[in-house]
Amino acid sequence: MSSASCAAVIRGVEKHYPDFTLGPVDLTVPKGCIVGLVGENGAGKTTLLKLLTGVNPADAGSIELLGSSPHTPAGRGDLGAVFDDAYFYESLTAKQIGKSMAGIFGSRWDSGEYRQLLKQFGLDEGKPVKAYSRGMRMKLSLATALAHHPRLLVLDEATSGLDPVVRGEMLDLFLDFIQDEDHSILISSHITGDLEQVADSIAYLHQGKLLFQEEKDVLLSKYGILRCGAGDLAALPGECIVHTRRTDFGCETLVKGREEVLRLLPGAVCDPASIDDIMRFTSGRDKQ
């Protein structure tokens, strides 16, 4: 995929800490798409997003952001970011925050859009941030990320702490955002069911390494959960088997190449695997 067709291109990016290493990571965010970033706690998701947005510098590799760099005014102006751990001063009101954002973004800041988003999210612009719940603070962050009309949204657990109804509203908003084919979203989330609803592709970060980035529909059709006896399992080629859990009742196995498994074991129970299943079995494999 050419860089011209991508909102973000990450090549060989690394970040080193005394107790953790991220990368090298290669990841792309195509224009007009939602990429879901998944991984266990401590996998490096927030670290990667902060490198992409220029919050922290990478130790190696390159990052291209909408044909520019996250460290240039053009790149930052086209970017809207929401981080799980980034909140505003608690004494400020949403109205005061809007005025501050107008000073930062200048002519790109759309005060009318910001007020509309506050109304849509049910936020009182006169209340201080300290009076907001966690979910309300996340919605305030999202309003500030959208009100300067970015082309790329980078969201770190943006639906976390929201009730199912509001989460549904957020997901609809994300889908509306990418109706403009020049818009894109990279979103990390532990709520993988949300990503199964809206993401076009899934990138799986595990222990600092990107294990894969695949189209969601292809991914979910490729993996399966096979339930069978040890004898049937032995009939499968090794490359089909990701990890097996053995119980008193048989084997439960994450397999890759579900259609091939069903061909080799006609009549076997091999249900489609969810993103949660893929993460759970991969983690179990590495703990052995």
Side-chain angles (χ1 to χ4, degrees), residues 117-131:
L117 286 165
L118 294 180
K119 182 178 180 181
Q120 179 180 339
F121 295 160
L123 300 176
D124 185 339
E125 65 177 341
K127 279 189 176 181
V129 171
K130 62 184 176 184

Side-chain angles (χ1 to χ4, degrees), residues 142-184:
L142 188 57
T144 60
L146 287 167
H148 66 284
H149 301 290
R151 294 161 61 197
L152 171 64
L153 278 179
V154 176
L155 308 172
D156 184 25
E157 299 294 340
T159 58
S160 176
L162 303 179
D163 65 58
V165 173
V166 177
R167 282 211 333 269
E169 293 173 354
M170 295 298 100
L171 298 180
D172 287 342
L173 186 150
F174 299 156
L175 291 172
D176 287 342
F177 179 80
I178 63 161
Q179 292 310 301
D180 183 329
E181 294 185 358
D182 197 39
H183 289 173
S184 310

Side-chain angles (χ1 to χ4, degrees), residues 9-16 22-26 51 57-64 70-71:
V9 178
I10 297 173
R11 294 191 181 95
V13 163
E14 299 179 29
K15 187 67 179 180
H16 302 279
L22 174 71
V25 172
D26 293 291
L51 297 180
D59 294 326
S62 64
I63 298 174
E64 184 177 324
H71 303 290

